[in-house]
Amino acid sequence: MLALDDVSIIYAARSGPVQAVSGVTLHLPVGGSLGLVGESGCGKSTLALAALSLLPPEARLSSGAVRLEGQDLATLPEAKLRRLRWTRMAYVPQSAQNALVPVHSLRRQFRDTAAAHGMRSAAADERAAALFQRVELDPAILDRFPHELSGGMRQRAMIALALLFGPSLLVADEPTTGLDVIVQRQVIDLLRDLRTEDGLALLFISHDIGVVAELCSHVAVLYAGKVMESGATDRVFSLPNHPYTMGLQRAFPDIRHPERSIVSIAGHPPRLSAPPQGCPFAPRCPFAQPLCHNTVPSLVAGPDGRAVACHFAADAEALRDRARDPALWDAAA
Amino acid sequence: MSPFASWSGGFGAIFLSLVVLIAVLAPWLSPYDPLVNNFDAAGQLRRLAPPSAAHLLGTTYYGLDVLSQLIHGTRIVLIVGITCAVLIALIGTNIGLIAGYYGGRVDTVLMRATDLAFGVPFIPFAVVLVALLGPSLWNTIIAISFLMWRSTARVIRSQVLSLRERGFVKAARIAGASDMRILYVHIFPNVLPMALLYVSFDIAWAVLAEASISFLGFGDPHQTSWGQMLYLAYVSGSIRQAWWWTVPPGAALSLFVIAVFLVGREYERLANPRLR
Amino acid sequence: MAFWLYAARRAAHTAVTLVLLLVFMYVLFRLVPGDPTTIMLGTGELPFEAQQRLRELWGLDRPQWQQFVTYAGNLLTGDLGMSFYFRRPVIEIVWPMLLNTLVLMTPVVVISIVLGVVIGTWLGWRRGERIEEIGAILALIPRALPVFWIGIVLLALFAYELRWFPIGGMRQAFFFPETWYQELPFFDVARHLVLPVAAGVLTSMADPLMIQRTALIEVKHEDFMTHARARGLTERAQRRLARRTAFLPVLTYSAIMVGFAFGGQVLLEVVFNWPGIGRLMVNSVSQRDYPVAQATFFLMAAAVVTLNLLVDLAYGWLDPRIRQ
Ligand SMILES: Nc1ncnc2c1ncn2[C@@H]1O[C@H](COP(=O)(O)OP(=O)(O)OP(=O)(O)O)[C@@H](O)[C@H]1O
Ligand code: SF4
Ligand SMILES: [Mg+2]
């Protein structure tokens, strides 16, 4: 369905180039689900935009290719790309708050989208009403303006809008962030239903590994624009092989181990305008050795379909044991 | 940035320097006295003579040398532009500083006054005031400055409102600095770049306003300004044939204002690099 | 509901501003040395007793504040006093001129805003391209041109030299239509309008253009524009969306612009001999016909203030976020 092949993206910022994504390879099969997790600023949204070929003018795909159903998006003419958008691939952006047009009613936004792909207003209205029922919104809300809705309503309206043409790929960028727990639950349930009932392929972005564990069969852990670890979700989170995944796991409550205390990883991700020489995680890694600071570990595929970018992946078993001690993470920084 | 954009500021600066130079050297540069009628050998008034070697830009209906009038006009432009800009900056910046800093009743009163000033149509007001006070260069300057402080006051006030809450102002207040000191030593230097930007644009607007007032016939009869040249060309019914009388002052006015805009734009870009 | 409350508050605000303007203007016109009797009749031309009688008749012997209240009261009933020069009620003179002014000013303002928004959108959309940088500098030029000079140049070229358009005024005294289109009811006025409207639009288009351009550049970076692109909207539809959202600051500005437009209007009316209140004001000031000058001036100020109110209300309707 969707394949990212060795993708690197550079932003031309005023202060200089920012290497937001470096050499990321991802694969999302038809009807599959892939989660992207990582801390704020690690390049998740940038990857999402690249997947939809929506990067802003200041961003440049410096290497690699994005393929949708085998077609390299970069080589497609803009007119073809435009017709692919929303009919084949839809998008739920990070901030439903600002992503809806503030001066138009929701109905108008459904109609405009429909019109862009040759669907008539009457048909769009009918479809919108049905989709609103699907996402459990009152179709009367269609005539409201975005600012008149609550956060949860906006998010569901956004998802309904994404389903207008029954796309086969949905990219959802932190659709649950900023919502209260009950609404979060509703949105997650909705997405899961869509996945199982409609066979939608889902690229799901979150910094919350719990949510990803629930929704996605596969996951890629991003750090500083690089994939640290990837594989089947249950395997990655039950037996993390990368120190960063171990730390991330300790940073969220785990329903299976409620007795564990929550420890955040001390320190900050590196500035992407001046990336560190060796392993990007080395400055915060409790297991870092001199080797880590000089040499970049490459992403090595393991036998069980997993891949890890750590010099000491072979010792993962021992590292996991040591990582259980909360004090370790405080001491690192 | 394209070379066109980066040269524009330089062009503006060169043009303005040229105007200043001409204004200073006006008595030596101008071939004739701009207010003395010229006669030909036969003693006839040289009415509407087209450009020639003797009169490079021809003569007016009243037999005056257009080039000399154009050269002397630079003085009015500079006097009006600079005086008005200084007056406007003084009034506007102070009103903005005081309204923004003290807030409350003071702010309400001053901002209502500003709203009121925005409700007065500018050119009609200036015309009425000059007519009532009697046409003279100083009355024109007063009439222009009387209303034009309004935009400066608004902008400076909103800047002060945000500066007031910043750390260094709070620190100065805790250290026991007086209001005057905080306003003029701590806040003023921070609004200065914006105030200067407005000064540059005010020069342009003031010059255009003076030209308009003169064109309507309320200019100082004892001075030659570009607006007045156009007024006399218009009322003497000479615009149909005497292009040499109408084109130079209008073009000079436009170029001057454009030059001020370009310099202001360049200054804005240098003072606030985020703009580009 | 909240909207009406907002509207009522804005209206009250406007009413206070109008009263203050009236006081301000009243004081302004009392700055003139002498009183209307001397202005009107010239000193010494009338016997002293006759002057006294006139003073009593016009209420000039009463205290200033009483005179002001009388003036304001009369104004409310549409009585603007008598013209010294025309010796007729001011309202009779001003009213038709006001209509003439609107005939010229409306197309100037509307066309300026429409053209400014269209060109500003176009420039902002091409932000960063070479054509946009050059366009942004070229757009400064019309803003710098004195409107009366443009008027003179247009007159010299198209009225005197080419004779395509009349040299001024609003109608031709004895206009005999020769072809069918010349018989259209407004043909004569329309051909008189072409040059002044062109001069007005050329000079007042620059501001809405620059504001629209800046607002558009900002809107382009909003999340909803990326989303619109993701939804597969055509470039034209995206641009329409950006233009619609970026238009709000232009709307705010248009009130201020109308204020400036009156300044430009006075100059346009003088250059093109247009029988409107701008030219009437200039003439009455020169002829010291103060009741007329006062009335025209107040009408212009009132128009500016009222338009400010209307624009605020329109903003409330156009931006649903403000409606609350
Ligand atoms: N327009 C831009 N210009 C320059 N740098 C940018 C731009 N957009 C993003 N970046 C930088 O690229 C990096 C990745 O940003 P991105 O938005 O993809 O992160 P993210 O993982 O989605 O973070 P968050 O969880 O906060 O949404 C960040 O370091 C950010 O500062
Ligand atoms: S390579 Fe070294 S620094 Fe990087 S994660 Fe592995 S152990 Fe830590
Ligand atoms: Mg993001």
Side-chain angles (χ1 to χ4, degrees):
Chain A
M1 174 89 240
L2 176 74
L4 274 71
D5 190 10
D6 188 34
V7 167
S8 299
I9 297 159
I10 298 179
Y11 281 103
R14 245 175 284 271
S15 48
V18 175
Q19 177 87 43
V21 172
S22 351
V24 168
T25 298
L26 298 171
H27 180 69
L28 175 62
V30 175
S33 57
L34 175 64
L36 284 180
V37 290
E39 284 166 293
S40 186
C42 67
K44 302 184 296 292
S45 298
T46 308
L47 265 176
L49 290 178
L52 300 159
S53 193
L54 278 178
L55 287 171
E58 65 268 25
R60 189 167 55 87
L61 194 69
S62 60
S63 80
V66 179
R67 287 195 188 82
L68 184 76
E69 291 161 343
Q71 286 176 299
D72 186 346
L73 293 185
T75 61
L76 281 183
E78 186 63 28
K80 272 229 177 80
L81 206 52
R82 187 182 78 71
R83 283 194 292 273
L84 274 184
R85 290 185 178 134
W86 229 249
T87 53
R88 309 289 300 138
M89 50 183 181
Y91 171 50
V92 176
Q94 186 160 359
S95 54
Q97 168 89 26
N98 305 324
L100 287 165
V101 179
V103 293
H104 285 162
S105 68
L106 293 177
R107 185 183 301 285
R108 175 77 190 269
Q109 310 196 27
F110 272 91
R111 284 182 177 178
D112 282 355
T113 316
H117 301 282
M119 188 196 260
R120 303 198 165 206
S121 289
D125 283 356
E126 208 172 294
R127 180 97 177 113
L131 286 170
F132 263 42
Q133 252 145 20
R134 176 84 205 264
V135 301
E136 289 168 25
L137 280 177
D138 181 355
I141 288 176
L142 272 169
D143 289 308
R144 301 254 199 105
F145 288 90
H147 73 276
E148 296 172 324
L149 308 181
S150 71
M153 287 157 100
R154 265 200 292 264
Q155 197 59 270
R156 273 181 282 174
M158 209 78 212
I159 294 173
L161 185 53
L163 299 177
L164 184 58
F165 294 106
S168 40
L169 168 69
L170 181 68
V171 178
D173 193 352
E174 309 210 18
T176 57
T177 308
L179 302 178
D180 67 56
V181 187
I182 298 167
V183 183
Q184 248 183 34
R185 176 99 323 255
Q186 293 169 340
V187 171
I188 293 169
D189 290 345
L190 173 62
L191 286 174
R192 198 187 19 234
D193 288 352
L194 288 173
R195 221 166 79 54
T196 50
E197 290 165 23
D198 299 20
L200 200 66
L202 180 67
L203 180 64
F204 183 83
I205 292 171
S206 180
H207 57 259
D208 184 337
I209 59 174
V211 177
V212 171
E214 211 176 320
L215 266 178
C216 304
S217 65
H218 287 75
V219 67
V221 180
L222 281 181
Y223 187 77
K226 289 194 170 95
V227 175
M228 295 289 110
E229 175 165 23
S230 64
T233 314
D234 50 353
R235 306 272 302 152
V236 169
F237 289 145
S238 60
L239 294 170
N241 282 341
H242 194 282
Y244 178 60
T245 319
M246 298 174 198
L248 209 56
Q249 205 180 25
R250 300 304 311 248
F252 285 92
D254 189 334
I255 339 157
R256 286 164 304 181
H257 304 278
E259 76 288 351
R260 275 192 198 160
S261 55
I262 300 170
V263 218
S264 58
I265 311 173
H268 297 284
R271 281 191 302 126
L272 294 172
S273 45
Q277 281 230 321
C279 170
F281 189 51
R284 301 166 77 191
C285 180
F287 313 118
Q289 301 295 316
L291 167 72
C292 304
H293 291 280
N294 306 323
T295 317
V296 186
S298 49
L299 191 67
V300 180
D304 51 353
R306 295 176 61 178
V308 188
C310 172
H311 292 303
F312 303 102
D315 309 330
E317 184 84 54
L319 299 185
R320 274 200 297 272
D321 268 347
R322 289 172 59 195
R324 287 211 182 91
D325 177 13
L328 180 81
W329 296 98
D330 285 336
Chain B
M1 205 189 335
S2 76
F4 189 69
S6 56
W7 291 344
S8 59
F11 161 78
I14 291 172
F15 186 85
L16 291 187
S17 321
L18 206 67
V19 171
V20 172
L21 200 71
I22 292 175
V24 170
L25 300 177
W28 295 278
L29 285 178
S30 61
Y32 301 88
D33 185 322
L35 291 173
V36 170
N37 315 62
N38 294 288
F39 297 90
D40 59 18
Q44 287 282 314
L45 189 65
R46 281 211 177 131
R47 251 186 223 290
L48 295 179
S52 63
H55 298 278
L56 287 177
L57 286 179
T59 64
T60 73
Y61 183 80
Y62 310 98
L64 305 175
D65 182 55
V66 173
L67 180 62
S68 305
Q69 292 210 316
L70 193 68
I71 289 174
H72 277 266
T74 55
R75 297 191 149 193
I76 304 293
V77 161
L78 290 184
I79 292 173
V80 169
I82 294 170
T83 321
C84 286
V86 168
L87 279 176
I88 293 162
L90 276 180
I91 305 171
T93 310
N94 279 303
I95 289 185
L97 278 173
I98 291 169
Y101 182 73
Y102 288 102
R105 288 280 289 275
V106 180
D107 184 33
T108 311
V109 169
L110 288 178
M111 281 305 110
R112 282 314 301 268
T114 311
D115 285 349
L116 200 63
F118 268 106
V120 181
F122 175 61
I123 292 288
F125 168 80
V127 163
V128 168
L129 198 64
V130 171
L132 294 181
L133 297 176
S136 81
L137 193 57
W138 290 113
N139 287 342
T140 304
I141 288 172
I142 290 169
I144 292 172
S145 313
F146 198 93
L147 279 185
M148 265 190 28
W149 52 268
R150 53 195 184 179
S151 353
T152 312
R154 258 194 198 167
V155 172
I156 298 295
R157 170 179 172 271
S158 64
Q159 288 226 312
V160 174
L161 281 182
S162 66
L163 284 170
R164 196 172 64 168
E165 303 308 323
R166 292 259 285 277
F168 67 95
V169 174
K170 289 192 167 154
R173 202 174 298 145
I174 291 163
S178 69
D179 283 345
M180 280 294 127
R181 197 177 154 76
I182 293 174
L183 257 182
Y184 292 99
V185 177
H186 297 281
I187 294 182
F188 178 69
N190 287 289
V191 300
L192 191 63
M194 185 59 95
L196 282 178
L197 184 66
Y198 268 73
V199 164
S200 73
F201 292 130
D202 285 339
I203 291 178
W205 298 133
V207 166
L208 278 180
E210 187 278 334
S212 305
I213 294 168
S214 296
F215 176 76
L216 292 174
F218 298 95
D220 190 331
H222 308 295
Q223 307 275 359
T224 28
S225 85
W226 294 341
Q228 197 159 28
M229 289 171 73
L230 289 167
Y231 166 65
L232 292 173
Y234 183 79
V235 292
S236 65
S238 313
I239 63 167
R240 64 179 310 170
Q241 67 271 53
W243 57 268
W244 59 87
W245 189 6
T246 53
V247 173
L253 259 174
S254 308
L255 279 174
F256 178 83
V257 175
I258 290 170
V260 173
F261 282 160
L262 291 178
V263 171
R265 215 177 105 98
E266 191 67 16
Y267 167 77
E268 195 174 5
R269 205 170 60 78
L270 294 177
N272 188 356
R274 285 194 314 133
L275 282 178
R276 271 275 155 182
Chain C
M1 201 55 229
F3 176 76
W4 293 111
L5 212 73
Y6 162 77
R9 223 185 18 246
R10 285 291 300 121
H13 203 91
T14 305
V16 174
T17 308
L18 277 177
V19 171
L20 288 174
L21 269 175
L22 197 60
V23 176
F24 172 73
M25 186 189 67
Y26 190 81
V27 172
L28 184 70
F29 276 88
R30 290 302 170 280
L31 286 177
V32 216
D35 69 32
T37 55
T38 54
I39 294 161
M40 186 177 177
L41 305 166
T43 32
E45 279 181 19
L46 210 66
F48 184 73
E49 296 78 44
Q51 266 196 33
Q52 275 305 338
R53 277 228 317 282
L54 265 181
R55 282 211 174 90
E56 272 165 43
L57 190 69
W58 289 344
L60 294 171
D61 52 342
R62 290 182 296 148
Q64 284 291 343
W65 69 268
Q66 275 188 15
Q67 290 186 39
F68 173 73
V69 170
T70 314
Y71 180 77
N74 288 344
L75 195 81
L76 280 182
T77 61
D79 177 2
L80 299 170
M82 289 288 281
S83 160
F84 298 162
Y85 181 82
F86 297 99
R87 317 251 161 167
R88 270 171 38 214
V90 171
I91 186 89
E92 280 180 20
I93 299 159
V94 168
W95 183 244
M97 301 269 185
L98 183 64
L99 291 182
N100 292 346
T101 290
L102 291 180
V103 168
L104 174 53
M105 192 161 159
T106 314
V108 169
V109 170
V110 171
I111 297 175
S112 301
I113 291 180
V114 170
L115 270 184
V117 165
V118 169
I119 301 176
T121 304
W122 190 83
L123 282 181
W125 196 256
R126 279 179 176 55
R127 168 70 160 180
E129 291 175 28
R130 192 192 178 83
I131 182 101
E132 184 262 344
E133 278 173 10
I134 295 174
I137 290 182
L138 290 184
L140 289 175
I141 294 175
R143 206 165 165 217
L145 302 177
V147 64
F148 51 91
W149 183 57
I150 296 300
I152 288 178
V153 171
L154 291 183
L155 273 179
L157 265 175
F158 296 105
Y160 286 116
E161 202 54 44
L162 297 171
R163 295 170 183 276
W164 289 354
F165 297 104
I167 56 165
M170 186 168 165
R171 290 186 187 83
Q172 193 174 313
F174 299 98
F175 180 64
F176 301 110
E178 285 166 7
T179 49
W180 65 270
Y181 62 83
Q182 297 190 350
E183 287 176 28
L184 293 176
F186 297 111
F187 175 79
D188 191 35
V189 174
R191 70 193 184 110
H192 281 86
L193 266 173
V194 173
L195 290 184
V197 167
V201 167
L202 193 63
T203 49
S204 42
M205 182 182 79
D207 278 331
L209 191 157
M210 297 304 275
I211 293 172
Q212 176 77 14
R213 169 179 163 270
T214 313
L216 197 102
I217 289 170
E218 268 158 33
V219 165
K220 255 175 84 177
H221 291 285
E222 298 270 1
D223 288 343
F224 68 80
M225 288 307 297
T226 309
H227 193 246
R229 200 150 74 93
R231 282 191 277 145
L233 263 57
T234 58
E235 173 140 346
R236 227 177 107 213
Q238 289 176 47
R239 194 160 54 211
R240 190 149 27 120
L241 201 59
R243 188 172 60 211
R244 167 70 170 79
T245 325
F247 176 63
L248 294 171
V250 175
L251 186 71
T252 311
Y253 171 77
S254 60
I256 296 177
M257 179 172 151
V258 171
F260 288 134
F262 270 111
Q265 181 75 19
V266 172
L267 294 157
L268 276 181
E269 287 181 6
V270 169
V271 175
F272 291 97
N273 254 314
W274 191 266
I277 60 169
R279 198 184 61 143
L280 178 65
M281 192 204 81
V282 171
N283 289 345
S284 57
V285 169
S286 314
Q287 291 151 352
R288 306 193 148 227
D289 189 352
Y290 292 120
V292 172
Q294 213 163 328
T296 50
F297 181 67
F298 183 69
L299 275 176
M300 289 189 219
V304 174
V305 175
T306 313
L307 274 160
N308 264 302
L309 173 69
L310 290 182
V311 165
D312 273 5
L313 299 186
Y315 201 101
W317 278 116
L318 272 181
D319 190 344
R321 285 166 294 188
I322 299 214
R323 255 181 243 170
Q324 293 187 324

